[in-house]
Amino acid sequence: MAAVPTDSGSRPAAGARFFCTAGRGLEPFLMREVRARLAATQVEYISGKVFFTTCSDLNMLKKLKSAERLFLLIKKQFPLNVSSVSKGKILSEIQRLINDDPESWLNAISTWKNLLELDAKKDKLFQRAANPPKRKVEENDIINAKKLKTKQLQVLQESGECSLEKQTEEETQEQGDFLTEREKSQEAFQNDVVKAADAKNQKNLTFRVSCRCSGAIAKTFTAQVHLPPKEVGRITGIALMKQFGWKADLRNPNLEIFIHLNDIYSVVGIPVFRIPLASRAYIKTAGLRSTIAWALASLAEIQAGAFVLDPMCGLGTILLEAAKEWPDVYYVGADVSDSQLLGAYDNLKAAGLKNKIELLQVSVIDLPLPSESVDVIISDIPFGKKFKLGEDIKSILQEMERVLHVGGAIVLLLSEEHHRRLKDGDQSSIPLSSEGSHTGEPSIKKCLKPGGKTGTSETVSSSFEASSQECLDKTPPFGSLVPVECHKVSLGRTDAFICKYRKLHSLGL
């Protein structure tokens, strides 16, 4: 295969190179977020992934809300050449991912190590601030115990309670030992990882490889050369052991290598966190996927002091995501279902937000709110088998329109059927920001174009904006509500639309 320019994971002067996986259609939300939250540069995308450069530490990277997983980039290049069905030649192509550019691997390991070292130092400082050193704890408590002893001896000279000092010292000693052992354990874990990641001592590094193949290349691997993803991972692992002297450990490795091979690109990276970013620790019972819920809230432009309503809140996932990100807001969730509201209350309680979000059991078409009293409405319009919308979508939107303040925004997650109904019977298909659209494929090619400039954030953003605008041009206003933005997103087995409307004037004008 002819050599092509690659995007390595080395740390440039401006920061380290990362990529996040994202649900199909959420790439524009993730691109906006990394720019705003991480001050990221060189932001570009290929379907399902967003690449960017940032100087942010692990604590900031953990705050990403629209991403599924975060990886430190090792390399990104054109797909493997599998025109030949010879298994030997394909194995040789896989091994070249490592052998052709070993420096990119070492640079990525060095960056990974530096991130962990910085995080470990910050944790150590935090622990020291929260837990005084053992010696200091003992000295302070011994002094306090002696003062207590003197006072007690003065009052109870003959009571025989001098043993209090010894008991106090023993309890203090046990507490100090517990804190110190916990601190040592945490430090030892970080130090072991950092030591293993040191590129100067490669033989201490343990690793495992996970591989994903998709598209025609996956069919070629499995059907023609009988090479499943596990076998690709094993071959890659052998090449890494030979090249760097690393040791394989499938159960508890220091390092995991992720490889994605398809017809458009080959991407290799290191998962930064073992737990996906999309797995929210503060959500007890999952409803709508957290990344979709956050995307809905982010599009609403929530301001401090606003009144935000979800009139069909279900388990409250959208309100949870919004309240975590924009806390100084008055949130109200409404639903007609007892079970959904109970689940929402449990979620709010588990997240520590039960005093931040008010829940009401009311119908979405009869909201007990004054006209033009709400600043923002965000909602997932039910269209699943379990909770399917019984009322007409237009009557629901009319009630939302009534309670919405002039200038306020409505952000909805709509099924394809609901979206068609709001287009007043327009059955034509709409090209949107999604994989395989006419605006998506050119941007993917630009992102990997050899010998030219890679797809920049401006190029990618313009493609998303153009497709969204084409959607809006075909969507007529509904009463005083005018469409502002529209994105097609994947919910797994089905697709949906994130649509934003703005109220331009009062009803009847």
Side-chain angles (χ1 to χ4, degrees):
M1 182 176 71
V4 297
T6 61
D7 192 354
S8 69
S10 60
R11 176 187 284 273
R17 193 76 173 146
F18 296 89
F19 72 92
C20 287
T21 53
R24 181 163 48 84
L26 288 183
E27 297 95 340
F29 296 92
L30 181 53
M31 290 164 65
R32 292 173 188 170
E33 186 185 6
V34 297
R35 290 195 198 101
R37 198 187 298 276
L38 307 178
T41 58
Q42 298 176 291
V43 182
E44 57 187 23
Y45 88 108
I46 50 184
S47 181
K49 294 180 179 64
V50 171
F51 299 81
F52 59 93
T53 300
T54 182
C55 296
S56 300
D57 60 17
L58 294 184
N59 187 49
M60 286 301 299
L61 291 166
K62 286 177 184 177
K63 295 180 180 181
L64 290 174
K65 298 294 187 179
S66 54
E68 292 291 330
R69 297 197 71 182
L70 173 69
F71 299 83
L72 180 65
L73 181 65
I74 296 178
K75 63 169 56 182
K76 177 186 70 186
Q77 63 183 41
F78 276 156
L80 298 181
N81 182 8
V82 293
S83 56
S84 170
V85 294
S86 168
K87 188 173 183 177
K89 290 184 178 180
I90 291 177
L91 295 181
S92 177
E93 288 288 327
I94 295 171
Q95 291 169 350
R96 288 181 62 182
L97 284 173
I98 297 95
N99 300 333
D100 276 4
D101 188 17
E103 185 178 356
S104 64
W105 290 80
L106 298 179
N107 288 338
I109 296 299
S110 178
T111 301
W112 176 68
K113 179 198 70 170
N114 291 337
L115 283 169
L116 290 176
E117 282 180 338
L118 180 62
D119 194 55
K121 288 178 181 178
K122 289 185 176 181
D123 282 347
K124 188 175 181 180
L125 290 173
F126 176 78
Q127 290 166 11
R128 284 181 176 177
N131 304 316
K134 173 184 173 183
R135 182 178 298 175
K136 189 173 182 179
V137 170
E138 290 177 353
E139 289 176 354
N140 290 340
D141 284 308
I142 289 173
I143 291 172
N144 291 335
K146 286 182 178 180
K147 289 180 179 179
L148 179 62
K149 173 193 171 184
T150 302
K151 184 177 179 180
Q152 288 174 333
L153 285 176
Q154 290 174 350
V155 179
L156 301 169
Q157 292 181 354
E158 298 179 358
S159 64
E161 295 188 14
C162 295
S163 60
L164 180 61
E165 176 191 12
K166 183 176 180 181
Q167 179 182 355
T168 304
E169 290 182 10
E170 289 176 351
E171 291 176 353
T172 304
Q173 175 76 23
E174 290 176 0
Q175 183 181 12
D177 287 343
F178 171 75
L179 294 174
T180 305
E181 288 302 319
R182 183 176 63 182
E183 183 177 339
K184 285 181 178 179
S185 175
Q186 292 173 340
E187 289 181 8
F189 173 77
Q190 290 287 353
N191 290 337
D192 286 346
V193 174
V194 171
K195 183 179 178 181
D198 193 341
K200 296 179 181 178
N201 196 5
Q202 295 287 328
K203 292 183 179 179
N204 285 339
L205 184 62
T206 60
F207 76 99
R208 70 182 174 201
V209 178
S210 61
C211 182
R212 179 188 170 200
C213 300
S214 58
I217 197 170
K219 294 179 181 178
T220 301
F221 278 7
T222 55
Q224 298 185 34
V225 295
H226 306 291
L227 198 64
K230 286 186 178 180
E231 182 67 11
V232 175
R234 189 184 71 83
I235 294 164
T236 306
I238 292 173
L240 288 170
M241 287 189 286
K242 289 182 179 179
Q243 180 70 40
F244 303 117
W246 300 347
K247 298 177 181 178
D249 185 347
L250 301 181
R251 292 188 176 183
N252 189 30
N254 303 128
L255 175 69
E256 184 173 352
I257 304 295
F258 170 79
I259 300 175
H260 185 193
L261 307 175
N262 67 14
D263 307 328
I264 303 172
Y265 54 79
S266 298
V267 173
V268 184
I270 301 170
V272 178
F273 306 112
R274 294 190 179 186
I275 299 176
L277 294 171
S279 298
R280 309 286 203 255
Y282 50 81
I283 295 181
K284 182 179 179 181
T285 305
L288 179 66
R289 186 150 187 81
S290 58
T291 51
I292 297 286
W294 187 90
L296 287 163
S298 71
L299 207 60
E301 302 176 63
I302 299 172
Q303 302 294 324
F307 178 4
V308 177
L309 169 70
D310 183 349
M312 289 174 283
C313 67
L315 295 175
T317 309
I318 295 174
L319 295 175
L320 276 172
E321 290 294 322
K324 283 288 185 179
E325 187 78 17
W326 299 276
D328 300 325
V329 174
Y330 176 52
Y331 292 100
V332 173
D335 209 291
V336 294
S337 169
D338 290 332
S339 61
Q340 292 288 284
L341 287 174
L342 287 173
Y345 179 80
D346 288 343
N347 275 339
L348 300 186
K349 186 177 179 181
L353 294 173
K354 65 178 183 179
N355 295 326
K356 297 284 293 184
I357 302 173
E358 185 176 351
L359 297 177
L360 302 174
Q361 186 171 19
V362 295
S363 170
V364 65
I365 59 173
D366 188 22
L367 297 172
L369 297 171
S371 297
E372 300 188 7
S373 60
V374 179
D375 298 300
V376 173
I377 296 176
I378 317 172
S379 197
D380 169 19
I381 306 298
F383 55 88
K385 293 181 179 179
K386 188 174 182 181
F387 297 100
K388 193 170 184 179
L389 188 66
E391 304 293 341
D392 182 72
I393 181 64
K394 291 188 178 182
S395 63
I396 289 173
L397 205 58
Q398 283 174 341
E399 180 67 354
M400 293 183 184
E401 181 186 19
R402 180 188 69 80
V403 301
L404 186 67
H405 191 277
V406 174
I410 296 180
V411 180
L412 303 176
L413 184 66
L414 301 170
S415 68
E416 293 181 326
E417 180 184 358
H418 292 152
H419 189 254
R420 277 197 304 270
R421 289 185 182 183
L422 291 181
K423 288 164 54 186
D424 287 335
D426 182 5
Q427 301 296 321
S428 61
S429 61
I430 301 176
L432 294 164
S433 305
S434 63
E435 184 179 14
S437 68
H438 77 282
T439 57
E441 292 297 333
S443 296
I444 293 173
K445 293 176 182 177
K446 287 179 182 178
C447 188
L448 290 169
K449 186 177 180 180
K453 186 177 180 181
T454 58
T456 63
S457 59
E458 291 77 16
T459 300
V460 175
S461 295
S462 63
S463 71
F464 280 119
E465 290 168 3
S467 62
S468 182
Q469 186 59 46
E470 189 168 352
C471 165
L472 299 179
D473 291 342
K474 293 187 177 183
T475 306
F478 181 77
S480 64
L481 299 177
V482 175
V484 178
E485 230 176 301
C486 184
H487 301 270
K488 188 174 183 178
V489 296
S490 172
L491 301 182
R493 294 183 179 180
T494 186
D495 291 337
F497 295 86
I498 295 178
C499 298
K500 179 179 179 180
Y501 302 85
R502 193 173 298 281
K503 185 172 180 177
L504 296 186
H505 54 79
S506 297
L507 294 176
L509 296 181

